[in-house]
Amino acid sequence: MICEVCGVGERRDQLIRYSLSIGDGLVVIDHVPATVCDHCGETSLRPDIVDSLQRTIWQRRAPTPVIETPVYEFAS
């Protein structure tokens, strides 16, 4: 299907890495089904996938694996 944002690219199903900042923490979930435009990168998630993400995040299940992420301050 043609991307409704750029009108140029083709939207395709793929697995993405979803990340969300919560307070001082960062939650990362791999292999999330999404549709992504191959031209502009616009990403969409189905409502049932969003529900599943919310359950995963709020249940605070033990993650596998745990990664360390450096954080830098923006300097102009």
Side-chain angles (χ1 to χ4, degrees), residues 42-75:
E42 176 69 17
T43 302
S44 299
L45 303 172
R46 294 188 329 252
D48 63 312
I49 299 299
V50 173
D51 288 343
S52 182
L53 284 171
Q54 289 175 337
R55 280 193 307 278
T56 299
I57 292 165
W58 297 118
Q59 287 175 355
R60 302 279 185 178
R61 296 187 312 213
T64 54
V66 174
I67 59 174
E68 186 175 328
T69 304
V71 177
Y72 300 93
E73 289 291 329
F74 177 77

Side-chain angles (χ1 to χ4, degrees), residues 15 23-24 34-36 50-51:
L15 299 177
D24 288 338
T35 57
V36 181
V50 173
D51 288 343

Side-chain angles (χ1 to χ4, degrees), residues 1 4 6-7 9-10 15-17 20-21 26 29 39-40 43 49-50 54 56 58-60 65-66 71 75-76:
M1 104 176 70
E4 65 279 359
C6 70
E10 183 77 18
L15 299 177
I16 64 166
R17 174 176 277 180
L20 174 68
S21 294
L26 176 68
I29 302 175
H39 179 73
C40 71
T43 302
I49 299 299
V50 173
Q54 289 175 337
T56 299
W58 297 118
Q59 287 175 355
R60 302 279 185 178
V66 174
V71 177
S76 53

